[in-house]
Amino acid sequence: MANKVFGKPIKRKEDPAFIQGAAPFVADIHLPGMAHMEILRSPHAHARIRSIDTSEAAKMPGVLKVITGHDLVGRMKPLPCVWIPGGVESHFPLHPQDIPGAGMPLQTDHVRFIGDGVAAVVAETRYQAMDALRAIRVDYEVLPAVTTPEAALAENAPQLHDSVPGNLNAYWTCGDSASTDAAIADAEVVVELDLLNQRTINSPIEPRGALATFDPVTDEFVLYASTQSPHNHRLILCYYVLNISLNKLRIIAPNVGGSFGTKGYVYPDMPLVLFMARELKRPIKWQDSRQGYMRSTVQGRDHKQRAVLAGTRDGKITALRCTSHANLGAYPSTIGPGVATAMMGRSITGPYAIPAAFCEVYAAFTNTVPLGAQRGSGRSEATFMTERLVDLFAAEIGMDPAEVRRRNFVQPGDMPYDNGLGWLYDSGDYPELLERALRQAGYADLPALKEEAKARGRRLGVGLASFVAVSGVGPSPRMAKEGMLGGTWEAASIRCEPTGDVVATIGSKPHGQSHDTVFAQIISERLGVAVDRISIRHSDTMGTPFGQGSYGSRSFSMAGPALYLTCDKILQKACLAAAHKLNASPDEMVFENGRFYVDGQMDRGITLLETTLALWYAWDIPDGVEPCLEATTFWDAPDFNYPSGAQIALVEVDPETGEVELKRFIAVSDVGVIGNPMVMEGQLHGGIVHGLGQALFEQAIYDDDGNLISDTLERYALPKAAGLPHFELDFVTSPTPHNPLGAKGAGEIGTVGATAAVGNALCDALREYGVRHIDMPFTPEKVWRAIHPHGG
Amino acid sequence: MLPSTLNYAAPTTLGAAVDLLASHPDAVFTAGSYRLLIDLKMQRIDAGTLVDLRKLTELYGIASVEEGAAYGVEIGAMTALSTLANDVRLLAHYGALAEAASATGDAQIRNMAALGGTLAYDASAGDVAAALLALDAVIHTHHSKGQRSLDAADFFTSDGKTALRHDEIITMVALPSTSASSIYEKFTHPATLEAIIGVAAAVTLDDAGRVAACRLGVCGSVAQAKRLSAAEAALLGGALDEAAIAGAAASAADGVEWLPSLQASAEYRAHRLGVMTARALRRLVKAQG
Amino acid sequence: MRVTFTVNHQSHTLDLEPRVLLVDVLRDHLHLTGVKIGCDTGQCGACVVLMDGVSVKSCALLGVQADGSSITTIEGVSEKGTMNPLQTAFQAAHAVQCGFCTPGMIMSLTDLLARSAQPSEAEIRAWLAGNLCRCTGYENVVRAVNAALQVAGSPAHLVTETPLRKFYDSHLRAMLAGDVDALVDAHYSADAVLTTFEGVISGRDALKTYFRDYLSVHTDLVIAATERFVEFGDSIYTETVVRSARGVTHAYNAFVVQDGRVTHQFAGVK
């Protein structure tokens, strides 16, 4: 029977509030008696603090309290890091509870990056708090700074943390070094490439914010925060930072204005507003500025890779090796170290069956902003590297890049496929993805189009990107192997109300991915209840089960199945009650269109609502069945899931100026079963443009002293609407066997392939100039210089 | 964040505005300049008093001015860039200014920024700077001792600022009648939307198709918005053919001093300016039919 | 400083420190939190509102600079709980993901749609240079605008649908298009009379001359806001903020409409 609502492009239920400006974000919340906090951040990337004088600031109009790190000693612990690169020796800053530390919210004697906190002020108004910041006098002794892993790991480099000798967090590996090196040594063709996957700043349009309240009568806190993971952060703040009972802290994430990874971390402002709320017994609000955001919120990517691909003259890849230096920033972010290692390293083989592969990552601390996940984290850096190598390999052996890919794809029949680096691909049809993309692009016609462009004085290039992206990050046992300190399952509860409404509570939460609608579609399809009668409750730790929030493209493929299985439980229980009401055996019951009936006797039936009422009244329910139609599921997937894609970019280069124009962008994606195609396409649009931003515009630029030069949107260019083509999308469906929906994580795949597609297209356009490779961002000058290495 | 000491005044007469500036050494006037307010917010500059000219109603509007058989225009300094971008007279006869106004910033900036404010504060960085140089504009001001008028060529100083005195307010920009065709080309900064390089070209051809008059102006990340005199000399008197265009392009960057920029080196910008000059001239040739 | 301005047709008189930004006045003093703050330097566009009918960045304006002006925020583009055609199109096209940039987008696009009945796709995308979105890739936003263009919006920014309002819209469209013949022939009776402070104008020929003169002076005409639109019987009373190359004026008009045409009009301008 065809689906009625699941898999349909229905409009979002949550939209009217956003579109009318009525949906509150943290900064929009006003509470009576609210005061405002500002944080003084270090102007130096690396310095000792000789003294801090807050006396002037304390006297300023409206100021209620000024604190430094000294006021936190004994009252607060450092933030923790909960993802230690698995299976290797690692070194971290200290934390008293035998887990890695991530620094105190305010420093007392040593600041290590440009956004490191030094003092905090609370005043009646935000303006007054900002005025007071300017009156705080800090005497710094500036120290030499290191801004790259290589500089940080060099002998005699300045040391950031006493407990981290040589600034090396971890040396992490995966794969087989010996066999890979042997295969490279034996190979007919070897291609080497040095790449910098540049540091980027995530830049959701909403900066961060936090608002804390404290009730001195009940000793209870409420924290409103722009966070991706309210439950995780509640646990971390209570247990590792503030030493308060979990029952005494409620975290509410009101609507979150985009995140793409950055708001999935615990930041100093969170314990600080809680601390201040308790000290002052007033609600305390903190809103980050954009400049503050750029200087303190986790930044992404930043891998310096040396990559080697070996193969045969007839196009078979025999080995792949990568050595990467990853820049963790000054402190490990809550889950930064895992992002920098496993997410990139295990992903380098992509969709190819490569017999020998090895990746090593040197993860180092430097005097830059801490590193964290950015949409497509790890997988995007791996894909860019490998896809560039594949194209260089194709050029070296004189083979069409599409053909090289065809000759190396893991085939659908090979699934499940162990990539030798730690991933076990579940399903996928990589050849079909590429074929469809090539057909859509009119690949065979492209040589003629290239000639036509040349006649106009332009150079047309076509770039392919084939990729696999681990998603549904991740099941608890699997994440434990990677070094994640926590259970990463999902949970969902559903209750059928006696009024016919259905309410579901989940531990996942949206920041734009349309949970309210798509999850309602799952439930609606299974229970036969209209979408507008189903409410999805999330983002408030009171009243929702524990869950991870959202990251790693896990909501639909982890929380979705939890809901799906809960529907199963609901129907099982309802079936027992319905059968009892109808004097039939449960085995005889059929459920269709929201109604139970006895098989073969359609008019002998009872609706789901009537069943709900029967269980709610509980006047006559079967033995062994509890009242109320409600069920809960805690669910861990058996493994990650692996969406995949083939993307093709067509770019036109103006050789006189180096300007790059994106003419067409094709994305054929396989995310398994899709809940809402309109939402899915929206995720792809946004993800692709996010990748285009890195390819063409974005770079976090530090000077040698560790100052972040690109700390406003005047110096960090985000993609705009002009100059973007319409995206040509298509889908292949290879359901995953790992969850009953067959769904794979889809939020990041647009980004995973986009930089590679554009990079390959650009190098293809510049082929006649002998350009081998250009690092991102592909600014006009960079492209022009690649064409004219000796200048005009 | 703006300082708590900031004062604000919105005088209703030009005289009052000038007096405020004259009597407050730390006052600046704002004519919708968005850049000024951002620089104040970000504490890049200091000002004690902001003198807002928005209530000086006599400074709004574009008037046609008879010059014998031809018409020039007088543009009130408070006229918004969005108005300039859509004015039929400017589009018809002063294309470089209409295009430069249209190319400035984004839609909201164009709505907010008045011509006088852009000139005074954005100075050589503003798109309109190149256009006014190419169109031989005369900038009229009022100050505490009276009035004066400045040729565009004398308006932009070599330190990136303007010749305006502290107590001087731009009241009107006059463009003489012209038979030149003019356009504006821009290399846009991907983040700020400002001009990394802006080139305005105004060319008049005689009956024989030779360049009778030619004015090229550059603006953007330059120390001073100025005329590209070497390129102009290369074009004057000859046919506007590919050889002449190539010659102009080759010397376009002569004498142009570049400000430091994260986006593009001086060498690249010099090259790009040549390319833009050539393309501007070719577009003019095409427009002339 | 004491300043007075209207926001969404409501007048406010406030005592403001000069340095307080307009966006902070709207959000913190007037509790209109639909307008957002996304950056410090004016690129993101989350703070866009209409001021005297044109879109501006409220983070780059002081509250005191709004004195005497008419501001519209997202809360004012439709009656509470309803959505206008552009907003409806946003939902239909899935142009909203996290929703943070949405109010600014809609305010910016409201300005575009008031100026141009048929913007090309390139014009729409260029118009959005001052509105950043990190979620949608702009694709569906552009689709939403194209869809909204199919549904005519009111040039007076009115929401209610009545025959007299439709008449008024039609009158304005002809005026904004500069089509004086269509304006007068279609909307005024043969012996219609227009009374202004300067005198009385009667008959279609005289009316056409009057409107031609008006439009030649007030080029680049935009109806910035309709502060009041009152229907009583066959009459309409309007208070409008009008913007042109000449600056901003407040217009007061009363129309007596019979058989679908104005018989008497009383016009005042400040």
Side-chain angles (χ1 to χ4, degrees):
Chain A
M1 203 170 47
N3 280 339
K4 291 211 186 68
V5 73
F6 183 80
K8 303 285 181 223
I10 67 170
K11 291 190 300 198
R12 294 196 336 165
K13 304 169 69 202
E14 54 268 55
D15 273 356
F18 290 119
I19 293 173
Q20 293 173 64
F25 296 80
V26 172
D28 300 333
I29 300 175
H30 287 266
L31 296 176
M34 199 167 70
H36 296 262
M37 185 178 88
E38 286 290 319
I39 297 174
L40 181 67
R41 296 199 167 109
S42 167
H44 304 291
H46 201 197
R48 293 227 165 269
I49 301 173
R50 288 201 195 100
S51 66
I52 309 177
D53 181 0
T54 61
S55 54
E56 279 310 305
K59 294 187 222 147
M60 289 186 63
V63 172
L64 299 170
K65 193 171 178 70
V66 188
I67 61 167
T68 68
H70 295 286
D71 296 294
L72 302 179
V73 173
R75 309 198 54 199
M76 200 180 282
K77 285 171 285 179
L79 306 182
C81 167
V82 299
W83 194 350
I84 309 169
V88 300
E89 180 188 327
S90 54
H91 298 272
F92 285 91
L94 299 174
H95 189 288
Q97 277 167 267
D98 199 30
I99 60 164
M104 283 294 283
L106 296 174
Q107 305 314 319
T108 50
D109 49 51
H110 189 179
V111 288
R112 297 171 178 89
F113 76 100
I114 201 75
D116 219 346
V118 169
V121 174
V122 175
E124 294 289 351
T125 72
R126 195 171 172 211
Y127 279 69
Q128 287 170 332
M130 288 196 263
D131 286 339
L133 275 191
R134 287 202 249 185
I136 299 177
R137 309 261 162 274
V138 186
D139 186 15
Y140 293 101
E141 178 200 335
V142 180
L143 302 170
V146 283
T147 59
T148 66
E150 279 130 326
L153 296 174
E155 220 169 292
N156 298 321
Q159 293 301 287
L160 272 73
H161 303 283
D162 293 337
S163 51
V164 185
N167 297 323
L168 180 69
N169 167 246
Y171 169 70
W172 179 95
T173 67
C174 67
D176 185 338
S177 172
S179 64
T180 302
D181 287 344
I184 292 171
D186 271 343
E188 288 170 11
V189 183
V190 175
V191 176
E192 291 184 20
L193 187 61
D194 286 331
L195 309 103
L196 173 64
N197 199 296
Q198 84 276 28
R199 192 171 251 245
T200 51
I201 303 177
N202 243 332
S203 310
I205 307 305
E206 184 209 20
R208 294 187 51 255
L211 166 57
T213 71
F214 176 69
D215 184 342
V217 175
T218 57
D219 261 359
E220 287 178 355
F221 295 87
V222 178
L223 176 66
Y224 300 86
S226 188
T227 161
Q228 281 176 244
S229 301
H231 284 286
N232 280 341
H233 295 170
R234 177 177 178 237
L235 197 55
I236 287 171
L237 285 166
C238 285
Y239 189 67
Y240 286 117
V241 184
L242 290 168
N243 219 28
I244 57 183
S245 162
L246 194 66
N247 292 339
K248 298 291 188 183
L249 174 61
R250 173 183 178 189
I251 295 189
I252 301 172
N255 299 289
V256 173
S259 179
F260 315 106
T262 52
K263 296 170 183 173
Y265 296 76
V266 178
Y267 289 94
D269 48 275
M270 295 161 89
L272 285 174
V273 287
L274 288 164
F275 178 86
M276 290 295 205
R278 182 168 53 189
E279 292 289 295
L280 294 169
K281 303 197 178 36
R282 288 175 62 172
I284 306 293
K285 183 195 255 186
W286 172 82
Q287 298 169 76
D288 210 353
S289 62
R290 173 60 53 175
Q291 189 175 45
Y293 178 94
M294 294 175 87
R295 289 163 152 234
S296 68
T297 317
V298 298
Q299 301 182 341
R301 308 278 190 260
D302 210 350
H303 277 272
K304 187 125 192 281
Q305 297 156 318
R306 163 151 290 182
V308 181
L309 182 152
T312 67
R313 285 252 148 242
D314 46 71
K316 208 68 184 75
I317 302 171
T318 54
L320 181 63
R321 191 188 203 289
C322 170
T323 300
S324 181
H325 284 77
N327 183 352
L328 295 181
Y331 299 92
S333 65
T334 319
I335 58 170
V339 165
T341 52
M343 296 302 283
M344 194 283 288
R346 300 200 194 284
S347 304
I348 63 171
T349 59
Y352 308 115
I354 303 176
F358 173 73
C359 184
E360 57 184 356
V361 180
Y362 294 88
F365 294 112
T366 73
N367 297 110
T368 58
V369 176
L371 181 100
Q374 170 158 354
R375 196 171 195 171
S377 59
R379 294 141 293 166
S380 178
E381 298 93 287
T383 300
F384 184 79
M385 180 196 93
T386 301
E387 290 303 282
R388 284 294 306 124
L389 282 172
V390 169
D391 266 26
L392 286 171
F393 177 48
E396 183 66 32
I397 62 177
M399 186 177 287
D400 172 18
E403 182 57 27
V404 171
R405 287 171 171 82
R406 280 189 204 103
R407 292 191 184 194
N408 287 282
F409 279 141
V410 173
Q411 296 298 318
D414 297 335
M415 302 293 181
Y417 176 78
D418 181 340
N419 83 334
L421 298 176
W423 299 149
L424 185 66
Y425 299 166
D426 52 2
S427 64
D429 191 345
Y430 312 138
E432 175 65 10
L433 289 166
L434 181 61
E435 291 319 309
R436 285 216 208 162
L438 294 170
R439 232 176 339 206
Q440 177 66 19
Y443 197 62
D445 303 327
L446 289 176
L449 288 176
K450 286 186 178 181
E451 285 307 309
E452 187 270 325
K454 199 162 178 182
R456 278 185 286 114
R458 299 280 193 269
R459 301 294 181 272
L460 179 69
V462 57
L464 311 180
S466 287
F467 60 90
V468 182
V470 65
S471 293
V473 178
S476 309
R478 198 59 189 76
M479 293 305 286
K481 281 212 190 94
E482 296 298 345
M484 182 75 95
L485 300 175
T488 50
W489 34 266
E490 275 304 324
S493 268
I494 297 177
R495 182 169 65 249
C496 294
E497 305 281 20
T499 52
D501 305 284
V502 174
V503 62
T505 58
I506 55 176
S508 171
K509 76 163 266 70
H511 50 267
Q513 304 96 321
S514 317
H515 289 32
D516 290 336
T517 300
V518 184
F519 287 148
Q521 287 176 267
I522 295 176
I523 298 170
S524 175
E525 195 65 50
R526 299 232 64 221
L527 301 186
V529 177
V531 164
D532 61 5
R533 298 300 296 275
I534 302 171
S535 290
I536 311 295
R537 304 248 180 267
H538 51 74
S539 304
D540 184 341
T541 59
M542 181 162 96
T544 60
F546 193 100
Q548 293 298 301
S550 61
Y551 60 80
S553 296
R554 58 178 281 134
S555 290
F556 194 58
S557 59
M558 294 279 264
L563 279 167
Y564 185 92
L565 293 168
T566 307
C567 287
D568 272 352
K569 292 180 183 173
I570 293 275
L571 290 174
Q572 273 160 31
K573 184 174 186 184
C575 181
L576 294 175
H580 182 79
K581 208 70 162 103
L582 294 170
N583 267 321
S585 150
D587 301 326
E588 300 178 271
M589 306 301 301
V590 175
F591 183 72
E592 218 172 73
N593 296 327
R595 186 173 174 273
F596 289 99
Y597 61 88
V598 179
D599 200 2
Q601 301 172 50
M602 268 198 83
D603 49 335
R604 189 173 157 207
I606 178 176
T607 65
L608 183 65
L609 177 55
E610 288 165 334
T611 313
T612 306
L613 279 165
L615 284 163
W616 188 77
Y617 281 110
W619 291 341
D620 173 20
I621 56 180
D623 288 336
V625 171
E626 296 171 0
C628 195
L629 188 53
E630 176 169 338
T632 300
T633 305
F634 292 84
W635 194 71
D636 227 345
D639 201 351
F640 304 107
N641 57 72
Y642 296 85
S644 51
Q647 294 177 353
I648 299 184
L650 261 71
V651 303
E652 231 177 57
V653 177
D654 179 342
E656 274 195 305
T657 62
E659 291 277 359
V660 178
E661 189 191 344
L662 182 62
K663 302 295 286 184
R664 288 177 67 191
F665 197 99
I666 293 146
V668 185
S669 312
D670 188 343
V671 296
V673 172
I674 295 175
N676 184 320
M678 197 164 68
V679 168
M680 179 63 236
E681 291 187 1
Q683 291 299 306
L684 276 167
H685 300 154
I688 291 167
V689 175
H690 200 125
L692 296 180
Q694 178 178 13
L696 298 170
F697 306 113
E698 300 178 37
Q699 182 162 20
I701 301 173
Y702 290 83
D703 68 15
D704 292 333
D705 295 326
N707 293 307
L708 179 62
I709 308 295
S710 51
D711 67 347
T712 71
L713 294 183
E714 300 155 313
R715 297 179 210 129
Y716 189 86
L718 296 179
K720 299 169 185 45
L724 294 175
H726 280 289
F727 303 110
E728 302 166 59
L729 307 181
D730 193 5
F731 294 89
V732 171
T733 307
S734 308
T736 178
H738 294 323
N739 66 61
L741 285 174
K744 300 185 180 180
E748 297 172 273
I749 55 164
T751 314
V752 171
T755 52
V758 175
N760 279 344
L762 177 62
C763 292
D764 182 50
L766 302 181
R767 196 181 292 276
E768 75 182 69
Y769 302 105
V771 173
R772 194 169 180 263
H773 180 73
I774 307 180
D775 274 333
M776 300 182 284
F778 307 128
T779 61
E781 176 160 0
K782 257 197 187 154
V783 173
W784 178 75
R785 284 195 184 279
I787 298 171
H788 308 280
H790 305 292
Chain B
M1 225 242 344
L2 296 161
S4 58
T5 49
L6 184 70
N7 285 313
Y8 173 85
T12 50
T13 68
L14 194 48
V18 172
D19 285 343
L20 275 165
L21 287 173
S23 58
H24 291 78
D26 59 359
V28 295
F29 77 79
T30 176
S33 173
Y34 136 99
R35 212 186 193 226
L36 168 62
L37 203 73
I38 300 297
D39 282 351
L40 278 170
K41 263 173 79 171
M42 300 303 283
Q43 295 159 34
R44 293 170 190 155
I45 59 166
D46 262 318
T49 302
L50 214 51
V51 179
D52 194 339
L53 307 185
R54 62 186 282 264
K55 291 187 178 171
L56 301 180
T57 52
E58 71 268 36
L59 298 188
Y60 288 83
I62 306 174
S64 296
V65 173
E66 261 186 70
E67 290 175 19
Y71 284 89
V73 285
E74 288 181 351
I75 306 171
M78 285 306 292
T79 311
L81 293 187
S82 54
T83 305
L84 297 181
N86 295 317
D87 187 85
V88 288
R89 289 159 293 189
L90 296 185
L91 286 163
H93 303 292
Y94 303 94
L97 182 56
E99 288 188 4
S102 181
T104 301
D106 57 43
Q108 287 76 41
I109 292 171
R110 291 191 288 278
N111 287 336
M112 293 158 75
L115 179 60
T118 308
L119 275 176
Y121 195 72
D122 296 20
S124 290
D127 299 272
V128 295
L132 294 183
L133 285 165
L135 295 170
D136 248 1
V138 178
I139 293 147
H140 294 256
T141 72
H142 278 228
H143 52 86
S144 55
K145 307 272 194 307
Q147 305 173 32
R148 67 169 172 156
S149 56
L150 292 144
D151 286 340
D154 300 324
F155 183 79
F156 304 99
T157 52
S158 58
D159 57 355
K161 297 192 164 66
T162 72
L164 287 175
R165 299 203 287 256
H166 168 74
D167 65 345
E168 201 164 7
I169 294 177
I170 301 174
T171 54
M172 184 262 287
V173 175
L175 301 179
S177 65
T178 177
S179 53
S181 290
S182 66
I183 53 156
Y184 178 74
E185 291 271 317
K186 181 172 180 175
F187 171 30
T188 309
H189 192 293
T192 62
L193 303 178
E194 291 173 351
I196 298 178
I197 308 172
V199 179
V203 170
T204 314
L205 299 178
D206 65 19
D207 295 327
R210 284 187 299 262
V211 176
C214 165
R215 281 182 291 280
L216 304 172
V218 70
C219 65
S221 58
V222 293
Q224 180 182 21
K226 53 162 73 158
R227 297 264 295 271
L228 302 177
S229 21
E232 289 174 357
L235 293 167
L236 215 47
L240 195 53
D241 55 19
E242 269 307 308
I245 289 173
S251 59
D254 287 1
V256 176
E257 198 191 317
W258 302 100
L259 294 174
S261 166
L262 277 179
Q263 276 297 318
S265 67
E267 188 196 355
Y268 173 77
R269 280 178 281 170
H271 161 78
R272 183 99 185 224
L273 175 55
V275 175
M276 290 169 70
T277 302
R279 291 184 180 182
L281 292 168
R282 279 189 210 114
R283 184 150 71 94
L284 273 175
V285 169
K286 211 163 168 203
Q288 309 223 321
Chain C
M1 269 190 82
R2 177 149 294 196
V3 295
T4 301
F5 49 86
T6 64
V7 183
N8 303 333
H9 312 305
Q10 241 192 306
S11 182
H12 298 275
T13 298
L14 298 166
D15 255 302
L16 295 174
E17 249 191 304
R19 66 160 168 176
V20 176
L21 301 172
L22 177 59
V23 66
D24 290 328
V25 174
L26 293 170
R27 286 176 52 79
D28 300 330
H29 297 236
L30 300 180
H31 299 296
L32 292 165
T33 55
V35 60
K36 310 293 181 197
I37 301 173
C39 74
D40 317 317
T41 48
Q43 278 77 37
C44 78
C47 70
V48 173
V49 296
L50 299 184
M51 183 154 132
D52 295 332
V54 297
S55 52
V56 297
K57 299 213 167 161
S58 61
C59 75
L61 284 165
L62 305 176
V64 293
Q65 288 184 288
D67 189 31
S69 72
S70 163
I71 295 178
T72 310
T73 68
I74 186 72
E75 291 90 344
V77 301
S78 57
E79 309 237 351
K80 202 169 188 135
T82 69
M83 300 202 292
N84 70 25
L86 178 60
Q87 291 173 305
T88 304
F90 258 58
Q91 183 182 22
H94 186 37
V96 182
Q97 289 185 28
C98 83
F100 194 77
C101 78
T102 303
M105 284 266 178
I106 289 183
M107 298 317 296
S108 175
L109 291 167
T110 299
D111 187 3
L112 173 65
L113 295 181
R115 289 164 195 266
S116 172
Q118 295 295 331
S120 67
E121 167 140 352
E123 283 167 344
I124 296 169
R125 287 181 178 272
W127 185 269
L128 290 173
N131 290 98
L132 297 179
C133 174
R134 206 47 161 163
C135 294
T136 66
Y138 309 100
E139 170 98 18
N140 286 346
V141 173
V142 173
R143 285 193 194 160
V145 177
N146 283 325
L149 288 170
Q150 310 303 320
V151 183
S154 166
H157 313 288
L158 294 171
V159 176
T160 49
E161 284 274 315
T162 63
L164 276 177
R165 193 226 86 182
K166 285 183 179 152
F167 173 81
Y168 182 63
D169 274 349
S170 172
H171 179 287
L172 279 183
R173 276 182 216 285
M175 183 126 138
L176 293 170
D179 190 345
V180 169
D181 289 326
L183 170 65
V184 175
D185 290 335
H187 300 90
Y188 289 82
S189 67
D191 50 5
V193 175
L194 166 61
T195 307
T196 73
F197 288 126
E198 284 79 34
V200 177
I201 298 127
S202 41
R204 283 193 180 138
D205 288 339
L207 282 168
K208 287 181 187 177
T209 305
Y210 173 81
F211 283 119
R212 265 189 254 281
D213 287 344
Y214 179 85
L215 288 173
S216 74
V217 167
H218 292 273
T219 54
D220 211 24
L221 192 65
V222 170
I223 304 302
T226 301
E227 302 280 279
R228 297 190 74 178
F229 181 85
V230 183
E231 297 179 36
F232 44 100
D234 293 330
S235 307
I236 311 169
Y237 171 66
T238 69
E239 290 177 13
T240 336
V241 181
V242 177
R243 190 180 186 101
S244 70
R246 270 302 178 119
V248 177
T249 50
H250 286 75
Y252 305 82
N253 280 280
F255 304 82
V256 179
V257 181
Q258 269 156 31
D259 295 324
R261 286 190 160 77
V262 177
T263 58
H264 289 83
Q265 180 179 352
F266 302 87
V269 167
K270 192 164 159 208

